C-alpha cells in the first residue's frame, strides 16, 4: 500500500509491526514548472546524477511486510537535493558531475525559502515523524538511506576525493567513519551483500551524506547507514536504461539484505 502525502514523496507504511525506516531521496525525476526559469532545459544533463530507478531495485511490498517504512522522493535532485543541508539543497548542482552547467540563475531569497518549504521541508518532517514513532516500537530506531553511484569516478568526484580509485565497488556502505552505527551493524550489511557481490566497501568512496548525519545527530540510539549501489551492476549508464537480467539478480538480494539488516538488532 502506498500513501501519497505531498508533491515530493511517496510513503509506504510498514505492515503490522514497525522495525525501521528506508529512505530513497535521489531517484525522483519530477521537475516542477516553477524551477524551469532557473535550470537548463536539457533533460539528459539534469538527470546525469539521478539515482536512476533505485526504488525499482527493492521489493517495496516485501519490505513493508517486514515492518519497514519507505519514503521515496519524486523531485529531481538538480532542483532540490534532499541529501544536503537546507542551506545548500536548492539548485545545489551548478554543474553536473560531467562538468556541464545546469543552473542558469538563482532565485531571490523569498522564492528560495518558498521552494524549500514546499519541496525540502516535508521530506525531513516525514523522517522526523517516522523516527519519533519508531521509538515507540523499539529502543533501536534503525534507518537506511539508499542511493546509487556512477561505476567510475567522474572529474567532480575526484576533485572532492582525489585519492579514490576510478573504479567503484559494487556497493559502498557508509556510517561517517563509525559515528552513526555499531560496527557490527554495518559489517552485517556487508556480509549480507557479499553473498551475491564480491566488492562491498565501507566508507569508500563515500562516508555518508547529510541525511546520515542528520539521523545520527537526532536519533543516536539507533543505527543508520547510507548504501550506495554501483550503477554498473544494474543499468546501462550511457543510455540510462535498466539491465533486466542484472536487476533480476540484484533485487531479491538487496531486498533480503535490507530486511535481514533491520531484523537483526544491535544496541539492543
Amino acid at each position: 500500500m502506498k500513501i501519497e502525502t505531498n508533491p515530493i514523496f511517496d510513503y509506504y507504511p510498514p505492515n503490522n509491526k514497525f522495525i525501521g525506516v528506508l529512505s530513497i531521496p535521489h531517484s525522483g525525476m519530477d521537475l516542477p514548472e516553477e524551477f524551469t526559469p532557473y535550470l537548463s532545459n536539457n533533460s539528459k544533463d539534469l538527470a546525469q546524477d539521478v539515482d536512476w530507478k533505485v526504488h525499482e531495485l527493492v521489493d517495496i511490498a516485501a519490505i513493508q511486510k517486514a515492518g519497514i517504512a519507505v519514503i521515496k522522493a519524486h523531485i529531481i535532485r538538480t532542483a532540490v537535493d534532499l541529501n544536503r543541508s537546507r542551506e545548500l539543497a536548492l539548485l545545489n548542482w551548478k554543474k553536473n558531475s560531467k562538468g556541464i552547467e545546469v543552473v542558469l540563475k538563482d532565485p531571490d531569497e523569498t522564492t528560495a525559502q518558498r521552494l524549500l518549504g514546499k519541496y525540502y521541508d516535508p521530506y525531513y518532517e516525514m523522517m522526523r515523524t517516522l523516527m519519533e514513532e519508531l521509538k515507540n516500537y523499539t529502543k533501536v530506531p534503525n534507518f537506511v538511506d539508499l542511493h546509487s553511484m556512477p561505476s567510475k569516478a567522474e572529474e567532480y568526484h575526484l576533485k572532492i576525493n582525489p585519492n579514490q580509485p576510478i573504479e567503484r565497488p559494487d556497493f559502498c556502505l557508509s556510517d561517517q567513519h563509525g559515528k552513526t552505527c555499531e560496527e557490527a551493524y554495518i559489517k552485517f550489511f556487508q556480509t549480507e551483500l557479499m553473498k551475491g557481490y564480491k566488492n562491498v566497501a565501507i566508507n569508500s568512496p563515500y562516508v555518508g551524506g547529510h541525511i546520515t548525519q542528520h539521523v545520527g545527530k537526532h536519533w543516536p540510539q539507533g543505527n543508520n547507514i547510507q548504501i550506495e549501489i554501483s550503477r554498473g551492476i544494474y543499468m546501462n549508464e550511457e543510455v540510462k536504461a535498466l539491465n533486466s537480467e542484472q536487476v533480476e539478480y540484484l533485487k531479491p538480494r538487496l531486498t533480503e539484505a535490507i530486511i535481514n539488516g533491520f531484523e537483526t538488532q544491535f544496541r539492543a
Side-chain angles (χ1 to χ4, degrees):
M1 178 177 65
K2 177 179 71 173
I3 300 175
E4 293 195 24
T5 53
N6 60 65
I8 71 160
F9 64 81
D10 287 338
Y11 168 52
Y12 301 83
N15 296 344
N16 302 318
K17 57 183 178 178
F18 191 12
I19 63 171
V21 177
L22 176 67
S23 161
I24 307 175
H26 278 169
S27 70
M29 286 290 292
D30 287 2
L31 180 60
E33 287 188 10
E34 53 201 316
F35 284 94
T36 55
Y38 310 108
L39 287 168
S40 163
N41 62 6
N42 187 309
S43 58
K44 182 179 179 180
D45 292 342
L46 293 177
Q48 169 62 33
D49 300 293
V50 167
D51 291 352
W52 193 257
K53 295 188 181 295
V54 161
H55 57 286
E56 296 185 19
L57 304 182
V58 290
D59 184 340
I60 291 179
I63 288 173
Q64 288 179 275
K65 186 177 180 180
I68 302 161
V70 181
I71 46 175
K72 177 261 172 185
H74 294 308
I75 194 163
I76 192 167
R77 67 183 300 197
T78 326
V80 176
D81 194 325
L82 294 166
N83 200 24
R84 298 292 187 272
S85 67
R86 194 178 191 277
E87 294 74 22
L88 299 176
L90 186 67
L91 303 172
N92 174 72
W93 290 77
K94 305 306 181 190
K95 297 180 180 179
N96 65 23
S97 61
K98 294 285 189 182
I100 299 171
E101 291 188 6
V102 291
V103 174
L104 305 177
K105 62 179 181 178
D106 291 318
D108 60 67
E109 183 62 22
T110 300
T111 302
Q113 292 304 314
R114 179 179 62 79
L115 293 173
L116 288 167
K118 185 174 180 179
Y119 295 104
Y120 182 91
D121 294 346
Y123 198 83
Y124 278 79
E125 179 59 27
M126 191 63 182
M127 285 197 299
R128 187 196 69 79
T129 298
L130 290 173
M131 293 302 289
E132 287 299 313
E133 182 183 354
L134 184 57
K135 286 163 52 178
N136 296 325
Y137 291 83
T138 175
K139 294 180 180 179
V140 190
N142 292 340
F143 181 96
V144 170
D145 203 37
L146 188 62
H147 296 260
S148 72
M149 59 184 173
S151 60
K152 295 182 179 180
E154 301 284 358
E155 182 180 352
Y156 165 84
H157 305 110
L158 293 171
K159 284 181 179 179
I160 296 173
N161 180 8
N163 296 319
Q164 66 180 284
I166 299 296
E167 299 287 338
R168 258 74 183 282
D170 298 323
F171 294 88
C172 170
L173 312 179
S174 49
D175 62 357
Q176 298 290 324
H177 290 301
K179 294 179 181 178
T180 64
C181 75
E182 291 289 325
E183 182 179 6
Y185 187 73
I186 198 167
K187 288 284 189 181
F188 183 89
F189 274 88
Q190 183 184 45
T191 299
E192 287 290 299
L193 292 169
M194 287 184 71
K195 293 176 181 177
Y197 295 88
K198 293 182 179 179
N199 193 349
V200 182
I202 294 179
N203 291 313
S204 178
Y206 298 101
V207 301
H210 178 72
I211 289 177
T212 308
Q213 295 174 15
H214 177 82
V215 173
K217 176 182 178 180
H218 292 282
W219 297 277
Q221 66 273 40
N223 297 287
N224 92 87
I225 63 172
Q226 177 177 287
I227 299 178
E228 295 271 2
I229 311 161
S230 170
R231 293 175 199 148
I233 69 171
Y234 75 89
M235 66 178 287
N236 182 316
E237 295 173 84
E238 292 302 315
V239 300
K240 293 286 193 291
L242 296 181
N243 180 306
S244 58
E245 290 185 4
Q246 289 180 316
V247 172
E248 185 177 351
Y249 181 82
L250 169 63
K251 188 170 183 175
R253 287 163 176 80
L254 179 58
T255 300
E256 182 179 22
I258 288 171
I259 292 173
N260 289 347
F262 277 110
E263 289 183 340
T264 302
Q265 292 294 302
F266 299 93
R267 293 186 176 176

